[in-house]
Amino acid sequence: MSAGLGRAFNRRMKTDLPPTISLADYAPPAFLIDHVDLTIRLDGSETSAHGSFAVRRNPEATAASLAQSGGINRMKLDADGLGRVIVTIDGQTVEADEGETSVSFSVPDAETFKVTVQTRLNPDANKALSGLYRTGGVYCTQCEAEGFRRIIPFMDRPDVLSTYTVRLEALEQSCPVLLSNGNPVERAELGDGWVAQTWHDPHPKPSYLFAVVGGQLDRLTDTFTTMDDRHVDLAIYVEMGKGQQARFAMEALKRSMAWDEQRFGRAYDLDVFNIVAVSDFNLGAMENKGLNIFNDKYILASPETATDTDYQRIEAIIAHEYFHNWTGNRITCRDWFQLCLKEGLTVYRDQEYTSDTYDRVIKRIEDVRTLWSHQFPEDGGPLAHPVRPDHYREINNFYTATVYEKGAEIVRMMALWLGEEAFRRAMDRYFDSYDGQAVRIEEFIDCMRAESADPESWPDFLGWYQQAGTPKLRVESRLDSETRQLTLEFQQHTAPTPGQSAKKALPIPCEIGLVGPDGQDFLLDPSSLTVRGGRLRADGAATVFLLEADSGTVVFDGLPDSPVTPSILRGFSAPVALDVEGLSHAERLALAAHDSDGFNSWSHLQSLFSEALEQRYHRLGLGEPAEAEADLFDALATKIRASVETGQGFAVCAAHLTIPSAHDVARSIGRDVDPDRIVRSKHQFSADLCSAHGETLIAAVNRLGLADDPEIDAASAALRSFKLALLRHLAQSGASDALEIIAQSHAQSVGMTMRIGTLDLMLRAGHPMAPDALAAFEERFGQEPLAMDKWLSVQALAPENKALPVVEQLMRHPSFSEGNPNRVRALVGAFAMSNLAGFHAADGSGYRFLSAFVTRIDRDNPQLAARLASAFRAWRQFGPAHRLAAQDALEQVNARADLSRDLSDIVGRCLQPIAGEDA
């Protein structure tokens, strides 16, 4: 380890943490760097970087800017873990002060000057996978958020935008592929087997979008012609011999490019677009300008090794990173507090793309499931933070579901309130006004406001970015049978979150429909509606009540004599926890069966499932038998028969058959949760469903057939999801004929979806053939790391009392590596994040295991350690014994002096008291 790397290691320690960074302290940079000439010589531990920067003074600099720079004639560059730094200014060597986090030096009293910086770095020793590192013989970079400073000293902040010319030098034998941002310029032979490749990116970009790749890689190529008739060369680089496994990703890329032109009028702007997939990567992917770098999990796919979910994620992530070209790259963030500006907006765009490409209802259900399972718990625990935080200690810890998923929901609310045409105009205004700039959320919202029907009364959507927590929306429905007047009373409340005890009312757009007895929507006449505490927007597509106060009312007059039932929060029009009072059990069942809004039809059923599972949970605690939900079971059986008979709606029916996760039930119960009892309640529910309608489920599976279809089209995927939903319930029945069907289905599997899905069910059901099936899977896919990740995960989710010993044993398996984030997430992450009763064991064994693991890997990969430690975020909601064990485990980690600031930040926030709660 070099002296420079030693400095980086010490800087990470808890004993030398940087101060909290606050949005209020933002100051423009004292200097701007208009152009960067950068040469990187890729030579293992002797790698060197030489940068020449065209610097000019920033005319918008303030006194605070100069203070942060060290004075009017001082320049400070960020640096992390580099060798000795040599600095010259206009050709003259200057003395530089090398601190733990920066390099600073005096500069001339001139408007412009050239700064040249030289340093050395060791990609082979970089296990943090941030900056420039080498994995599997391939050089690779990850610069977001603050990785560029690990390559060369620089003003590593998103509001310093520069054009780049990059020259890469390497031995051609080991690095025939040399890639960077922008367009290729020239390739030169240097002698002795060395070559140089030059790239130029004409678009100014922040340093976090810089990228370099060098190595031996297989290549899949294609082309795309833009709407303005420009030819673009496309290439995806993968591990040698796996080029054809990138074919689906390439087609997804071309679909994404065409969709962005059609939906948002955005054409690609370079001559080439390159994607590189590597196996060691902390994130899913990175949108570097013209050179996206991906975790190979989200590129490589074949029907034999990838599930339907894998294909859908590849499609979505390819789209997400490509869409960043405009929402993130061409227009970027002024500072890291604005992270949601690029991520929330781009998530919204990739959600819309996937909805248009596949099934809009199913996509909406999947997205809301993710929100409920990941973002709502985040909002309700010690890690809660606003979508745009006002302070942070470690920016890596704010790549969260709140920034991404909740950020997307805020964009969706604004789009709903504007309407489709006005939202498109607002996006055009945003692109035209801020292309090539680094901006804030305020600028984006201003574009939305400007295109609204009444800009002067634009709702306070900025409050959604500034306030943490999930609003609770309570709606009481009252129908006067004599006057035929329906009243909906709305109330909103947001509980205190860390650092925010007082909450204000937020604008909540609630889409409303009225459903008649025949399942048809009752057409609403806006003139017959009276509102208080908000506003109404009604057009042919939707009726939306915007609640803007703590409470509000919508009154419907002139309703027909026939029964009419309100359908509230259609399409999940706002990210709130909805509680509707005044609807009978029968009315909710009717809505689940007939609501024309596909999302709400599913949502009504989910609320009924949640109530049933909570009732079973509490009765188990009292030692009382559960009350079978006969009408709910009958409704499910009716849906199953209808789908099988018509051969339609398999994906929707599969979603309807999927009951809430154990984590969702725990969140619903709220306090002193017993995780074992939740799991037993879910098992009991499925077993009772099979007792009542097992013949229907078995008949449906037999009618659909046990043979597997290897096709990856949407219809085949829907059929597989339906069969697995049926088998999931049958697995809990314990009946020999049901278990035999699952084993037969596994034996006849030809694609990964059914193969791994049925293997998972065999393990959870304790099927006697499960060990043989595990061994057969390992023998067949032992050399396929991504397939083996699935093998690891299903075992990490095994029956709760057996999972931890299995996980500890698998950590010694040849397919597992603590140095590979995918392997760690597949095994340890699956156990800690998804196995509720296993991780939250009453004896604290799960807590002790994870705390020891994250402490161990923290020295090499702080980002991965911190993300795993976030599994502790809900520890306060469990019983007293659980809380004591979790607190002890967290405090033992927190007491260490050698923690990275990433892990220390998460652990410290998890231990932070929450207003109104005791530890």
Side-chain angles (χ1 to χ4, degrees), residues 11 19 30 179 260 284 324 455 495 634 680 787 855 881 897:
R11 181 164 59 258
L179 306 173
D260 208 20
H324 265 313
D634 290 346
R680 293 202 307 274
T855 302

Side-chain angles (χ1 to χ4, degrees), residues 539-841:
D539 55 29
T543 297
V544 180
F545 171 59
L546 185 74
L547 176 66
E548 295 183 281
D550 290 327
S551 60
T553 306
V554 179
V555 179
F556 303 81
D557 288 313
L559 297 183
D561 293 336
S562 57
V564 175
T565 308
S567 172
I568 300 168
L569 204 69
R570 285 186 154 185
F572 201 68
S573 53
V576 299
L578 179 65
D579 178 19
V580 180
E581 297 182 2
L583 295 184
S584 68
H585 184 80
E587 287 176 317
R588 292 160 67 200
L589 268 177
L591 285 171
H594 302 300
D595 197 328
S596 63
D597 183 81
F599 173 85
N600 261 19
S601 175
W602 170 83
S603 182
H604 298 312
L605 203 52
Q606 289 295 301
S607 69
L608 292 167
F609 286 154
S610 293
E611 287 185 6
L613 292 170
E614 284 188 56
Q615 175 258 339
R616 288 170 175 271
Y617 171 86
H618 292 301
R619 284 184 172 272
L620 277 174
L622 297 172
E624 298 176 356
E627 294 181 358
E629 300 83 359
D631 51 358
L632 186 54
F633 292 162
D634 290 346
L636 292 176
T638 298
K639 286 181 177 291
I640 293 168
R641 285 191 291 266
S643 285
V644 173
E645 289 169 5
T646 61
Q648 298 177 344
F650 290 147
V652 171
C653 195
H656 285 186
L657 282 169
T658 303
I659 63 178
S661 71
H663 286 82
D664 286 343
V665 178
R667 177 173 51 83
S668 179
I669 293 169
R671 185 69 173 168
D672 289 330
V673 170
D674 180 343
D676 294 295
R677 206 181 339 145
I678 289 179
V679 174
R680 293 202 307 274
S681 300
K682 285 171 56 69
H683 291 177
Q684 185 190 74
F685 181 91
S686 292
D688 286 351
L689 170 62
C690 292
S691 294
H693 293 286
E695 292 182 358
T696 298
L697 272 68
I698 291 175
V701 174
N702 288 331
R703 174 87 173 269
L704 298 171
L706 296 179
D708 191 11
D709 181 354
E711 295 300 319
I712 61 170
D713 59 274
S716 299
L719 178 60
R720 285 189 286 268
S721 68
F722 185 37
K723 286 199 288 188
L724 282 172
L726 294 167
L727 294 174
R728 199 170 293 119
H729 289 293
L730 287 170
Q732 302 306 320
S733 70
S736 58
D737 53 347
L739 296 181
E740 177 60 25
I741 285 177
I742 294 170
Q744 289 180 19
S745 182
H746 180 75
Q748 296 186 40
S749 298
V750 294
M752 184 55 73
T753 299
M754 293 304 295
R755 187 186 305 278
I756 199 68
T758 51
L759 177 58
D760 176 51
L761 295 179
M762 292 172 72
L763 283 169
R764 297 194 189 208
H767 197 289
M769 294 179 62
D772 291 340
L774 275 173
F777 189 103
E778 180 184 11
E779 181 178 359
R780 181 165 184 170
F781 297 104
Q783 302 305 311
E784 295 281 352
L786 297 178
M788 289 301 290
D789 282 349
K790 298 173 175 60
W791 184 81
L792 293 170
S793 290
V794 294
Q795 294 178 81
L797 299 174
E800 298 70 36
N801 59 344
K802 299 177 182 178
L804 183 55
V806 169
V807 169
E808 291 176 323
Q809 179 181 355
L810 288 172
M811 290 176 69
R812 297 186 291 272
H813 192 275
S815 66
F816 180 78
S817 168
E818 287 188 4
N820 183 279
N822 282 350
R823 308 297 90 81
V824 171
R825 286 188 285 258
L827 183 62
V828 180
F831 170 73
M833 300 290 191
S834 301
N835 194 330
L836 183 78
F839 176 58
H840 296 284

Side-chain angles (χ1 to χ4, degrees), residues 264-455:
F264 286 97
R266 297 299 104 191
Y268 187 62
D269 51 8
L270 290 169
D271 299 334
V272 299
F273 186 87
N274 292 318
I275 292 175
V276 177
V278 295
S279 60
D280 290 327
F281 203 66
N282 279 334
L283 308 174
M286 179 60 209
E287 71 266 20
N288 318 295
K289 181 69 178 179
L291 176 56
N292 288 184
I293 300 180
F294 271 65
N295 186 322
D296 63 3
K297 177 178 181 179
Y298 301 113
I299 290 292
L300 302 178
S302 68
E304 188 179 36
T305 60
T307 65
D308 295 326
T309 299
D310 290 332
Y311 279 106
Q312 292 162 11
R313 287 176 178 167
I314 289 170
E315 183 95 46
I317 295 175
I318 287 277
H320 181 95
E321 304 308 331
Y322 174 73
F323 297 156
H324 265 313
N325 187 61
W326 279 91
T327 51
N329 296 4
R330 289 285 290 257
I331 306 176
T332 194
C333 306
R334 187 197 72 171
D335 52 74
W336 287 120
F337 296 99
Q338 319 297 327
L339 180 61
C340 53
L341 175 68
K342 74 182 186 77
E343 295 301 348
L345 176 57
T346 306
V347 169
Y348 169 79
R349 277 157 45 78
D350 81 54
Q351 289 175 349
E352 285 296 289
Y353 163 75
T354 311
S355 297
D356 286 347
T357 305
Y358 292 100
D359 184 299
R360 182 163 289 272
V361 171
I362 294 300
K363 176 59 177 171
R364 191 63 183 138
I365 289 171
E366 291 172 349
D367 290 339
V368 174
R369 273 197 179 279
T370 299
L371 196 75
W372 287 350
S373 297
H374 298 284
Q375 198 281 317
F376 276 24
E378 192 168 85
D379 249 350
L383 301 183
H385 64 87
V387 176
R388 182 175 71 179
D390 58 10
H391 68 278
Y392 63 79
R393 200 173 81 184
E394 174 50 64
I395 186 57
N396 287 328
N397 290 338
F398 283 86
Y399 285 75
T400 62
T402 297
V403 166
Y404 282 69
E405 276 68 37
K406 189 173 181 179
E409 294 300 316
I410 302 174
V411 176
R412 186 174 298 278
M413 286 189 290
M414 289 190 281
L416 174 64
W417 187 245
L418 280 169
E420 184 175 341
E421 292 183 4
F423 179 69
R424 171 60 192 269
R425 292 197 305 272
M427 289 300 302
D428 287 344
R429 176 184 287 266
Y430 177 64
F431 292 130
D432 293 341
S433 300
Y434 299 111
D435 185 16
Q437 298 181 46
V439 299
R440 306 169 302 158
I441 286 294
E442 281 84 351
E443 280 75 56
F444 177 73
I445 291 178
D446 283 346
C447 293
M448 302 294 111
R449 177 190 294 109
E451 295 299 334
S452 67
D454 185 3

